Amino acid sequence: MRIVLLGAPGSGKGTQAQRLMAEYGIPQISTGDLLRQAVASGSELGLKAKAAMDKGELVADSVVIGMIRARITEQDAQAGFIFDGFPRNLAQASALDDLLDDIGKPLASAVLMDVDHGVLLKRLSGRRTCKACDKVANVHQPDFDARELCEVTGQPHDYFQRTDDNEETIAKRLEVYAAQTEPLVEYYHRQGKLVSVDADGGIDEVYGRLVSAIETLERDGIATAMTVEIDAPDP
Ligand code: AMP
């Protein structure tokens, strides 16, 4: 399976990619996570990335494409991968196509996690990450359990809020998504690779839809899995 999870910040890409990774045994490749690791390491690349990330802007294409080029050659990525948060603009999408063509492993599909704007804001403001195991949870989810135990420490999760999940940066990230990333919906639609999943709902419910879309894709091919209507009028 080689897929891109497309969707606005807060659409649940990271949460769902973690579950897909556990179920299908292929890595989630998140440029956001790779960049946060670079920031935490204090490297020169991390320092440069941090400035853009704190403002909600995109990190330079050359940096993220370089990270992806290295990551897809690692052993665990040979059976497939789930891209989460990459590509983020047309230049990255086109560079990814070239990279995958070079190794003869084109993308199977881009799966769009489709969610209303209001839901995104709520999800982003309630998002928390465990310091020890990286589990992402949301304090606004009805099933959020602050006492749940972390598999690394055996203690309740030690949750923190990402520094870019504040109101101002959230607004900027959504603006950047609309201007730079949303055109990828049409890009993949034109390639005949876009599958759309309704990502509004509980984590399990959305995961069920995602797995059913992916299994249709694997079993019957992209033509059957493709259900999206581009530019469909709002109801
Ligand atoms: P994310 O965790 O995917 O929400 O990403 C957090 C931040 O990392 C974004 O707001 C960007 O500043 C940066 N970032 C993540 N992925 C990319 C990418 N593919 N291209 C450029 N910047 C990125």
Side-chain angles (χ1 to χ4, degrees):
M1 182 197 309
R2 292 185 296 273
I3 60 172
V4 163
L5 279 189
L6 259 186
S11 59
K13 299 185 300 294
T15 306
Q16 300 295 351
Q18 282 179 359
R19 292 187 66 164
L20 289 173
M21 172 166 78
E23 181 154 344
Y24 292 93
I26 55 174
Q28 162 203 24
I29 302 185
S30 155
T31 38
D33 286 349
L34 293 171
L35 288 165
R36 280 183 286 280
Q37 281 161 20
V39 171
S41 76
S43 65
E44 196 179 327
L45 184 153
L47 285 177
K48 278 193 197 145
K50 188 175 186 326
M53 292 168 82
D54 282 348
K55 285 189 272 181
E57 290 170 359
L58 294 186
V59 173
D61 290 342
S62 56
V63 170
V64 284
I65 293 165
M67 287 188 329
I68 290 290
R69 185 183 289 117
R71 184 64 185 85
I72 59 173
T73 61
E74 286 177 32
Q75 190 53 39
D76 66 339
Q78 299 319 302
F81 32 72
I82 304 158
F83 287 120
D84 157 17
F86 178 87
R88 240 10 189 245
N89 59 24
L90 289 167
Q92 293 181 12
S94 160
L96 177 63
D97 283 346
D98 292 346
L99 281 177
L100 296 180
D101 276 354
D102 285 350
I103 56 173
K105 291 181 172 177
L107 271 187
S109 174
V111 181
L112 173 66
M113 311 268 299
D114 200 9
V115 192
D116 268 8
H117 197 262
V119 176
L120 294 175
L121 290 177
K122 197 168 169 198
R123 286 205 187 150
L124 288 166
S125 63
R127 176 160 67 183
R128 303 288 183 273
T129 310
C130 174
K131 276 185 193 155
C133 72
D134 291 337
K135 179 188 162 120
V136 179
N138 198 297
V139 295
H140 299 316
Q141 281 281 343
D143 59 357
F144 176 74
D145 178 6
R147 290 160 309 172
E148 187 185 84
L149 299 183
C150 167
E151 61 190 31
V152 175
T153 63
Q155 300 293 315
H157 289 291
D158 187 5
Y159 285 121
F160 71 98
Q161 185 171 28
R162 276 171 45 174
T163 53
D164 59 351
D165 277 345
N166 64 73
E167 212 175 306
E168 196 183 329
T169 314
I170 288 173
K172 179 69 185 172
R173 286 160 63 209
L174 291 173
E175 192 186 306
V176 167
Y177 175 78
Q180 303 202 41
T181 313
E182 220 163 24
L184 298 185
V185 174
E186 188 164 352
Y187 177 86
Y188 286 117
H189 181 64
R190 284 188 198 285
Q191 287 193 354
K193 291 193 174 172
L194 189 75
V195 174
S196 183
V197 167
D198 175 5
D200 200 346
I203 294 176
D204 292 343
E205 193 185 348
V206 174
Y207 185 67
R209 289 184 206 132
L210 195 56
V211 166
S212 130
I214 288 172
E215 294 198 338
T216 307
L217 179 75
E218 299 268 292
R219 193 183 52 239
D220 304 329
I222 186 72
T224 309
M226 257 178 72
T227 52
V228 77
E229 288 287 332
I230 299 289
D231 296 333
D234 287 331

